[in-house]
Amino acid sequence: MGMGPLENAAAVEVPVVTAAAAGGGSYALLQCGEDSAYVRDAYGGYFEVFRALLAEDGERWRVYRAVRGELPSDEEVAGIDGFVISGSCSDAHGDEPWILALVDLIRRQLAAGKRVLGVCFGHQILCRALGGKTGRSCKGWDIGVSCIHPTAAAARLFAPLKMPVHLPIIEFHQDEVWELPAHAEVLARSDKTGVEMFRLGDRAMGVQGHPEYSKDILMSIADRLLRQNLLLDCQVDVAKASFDVRQPDKEFW
């Protein structure tokens, strides 16, 4: 699994360890939201969406439905090299039992030298587990294709790849990272969100946006929330129009 970018406390020391042995590693998606009917029918579920984005030849992948309280046992985690934490409709700053269990798992696995990549909710819960703070954005929903701006730290990390000044990515969130964990560094910002990407050491990385999303996935969620009166017509219209202005940079992600 490439640790490069990708759909919901006490600090943890993250050790530097060697990469998984050649021949393909073993990775797990910690799925923090249920599959929508649309994604299940069109793509086979979010697990398949993430695998299409991240999986490389020879790797072994499996999914744990963290939102249902399904987490790997101690015996299972011993054979897993890294974890991807998905998005969620839940709040990363919440205290539901499954969220607290997930925070505990993240801390233990990072302390053991496992690699962890968080996406949207996963980005925020990773920050929380490492000792940072998350909460509601004072700027409200960010939905559609947004431009994030890589920092000098990102340029150093991805060298010799030349980083673009503006990097389009699909967003769908109303929460954000308020305060980074100690020693973490910001890799990207945007006009609406101060921490679009961060990393701590070479084991932990968070991405606020959804590199795994496509326009149809985002619009299916937006339309559902609109029907539930959780979004306004104008918010959905802005999200749809954003794809006419810019397209997510799939080559980078």
Side-chain angles (χ1 to χ4, degrees):
M1 178 188 74
M3 194 59 180
L6 288 176
E7 172 187 75
N8 180 135
V12 176
E13 181 180 355
V14 182
V16 175
V17 298
T18 58
S26 177
Y27 300 98
L29 174 68
L30 303 177
Q31 188 169 329
C32 301
E34 297 290 354
D35 292 325
S36 68
Y38 177 82
V39 170
R40 186 170 56 249
D41 293 343
Y43 295 95
Y46 282 114
F47 178 53
E48 297 302 331
V49 173
F50 273 102
R51 279 212 309 178
L53 177 71
L54 293 172
E56 298 179 357
D57 291 344
E59 292 178 348
R60 299 173 302 283
W61 284 77
R62 65 170 300 173
V63 60
Y64 294 90
R65 310 282 176 174
V67 68
R68 302 179 189 174
E70 299 174 6
L71 294 174
S73 66
D74 290 342
E75 182 179 353
E76 289 171 328
V77 298
I80 298 173
D81 299 306
F83 299 86
V84 177
I85 310 169
S86 80
S88 177
C89 61
S90 298
D91 298 327
H93 51 275
D95 288 328
E96 291 96 323
W98 75 269
I99 291 179
L100 298 180
L102 178 60
V103 168
D104 178 67
L105 176 72
I106 294 168
R107 289 176 180 160
R108 288 187 288 109
Q109 298 317 306
L110 286 171
K114 305 290 186 174
R115 308 168 80 190
V116 179
L117 174 62
V119 178
C120 197
F121 169 91
H123 163 84
Q124 298 160 16
I125 202 74
L126 176 59
C127 172
R128 176 183 177 179
L130 287 166
K133 296 180 180 179
T134 69
R136 278 285 189 271
S137 169
C138 63
K139 297 182 180 180
W141 283 99
D142 188 0
I143 309 174
V145 182
S146 296
C147 275
I148 66 174
H149 314 298
T151 64
R156 291 192 300 271
L157 175 64
F158 292 106
L161 177 67
K162 182 174 175 58
M163 295 294 295
V165 177
H166 308 294
L167 188 60
I169 188 172
I170 295 175
E171 305 266 11
F172 204 135
H173 65 99
Q174 62 175 337
D175 293 343
E176 65 179 357
V177 168
W178 282 358
E179 182 181 315
L180 279 176
H183 310 300
E185 56 184 352
V186 178
L187 298 180
R189 299 183 173 90
S190 71
D191 294 341
K192 291 195 73 169
T193 304
V195 183
E196 287 281 2
M197 292 175 59
F198 80 92
R199 74 162 181 157
L200 181 56
D202 65 352
R203 302 285 95 185
M205 178 180 287
V207 181
Q208 179 59 69
H210 284 278
E212 83 281 13
Y213 273 14
S214 54
K215 179 181 179 180
D216 60 311
I217 291 177
L218 178 133
M219 294 313 303
S220 71
I221 299 171
D223 289 341
R224 184 176 76 246
L225 295 186
L226 178 64
R227 293 193 299 272
Q228 296 171 347
N229 296 317
L230 298 175
L231 288 178
L232 301 174
D233 287 292
C234 60
Q235 292 172 307
V236 176
D237 290 341
V238 168
K240 188 179 300 182
S242 70
F243 287 88
D244 297 329
V245 177
R246 58 182 73 95
Q247 291 294 318
D249 191 336
K250 289 296 185 180
E251 289 188 8
F252 179 81
W253 301 109

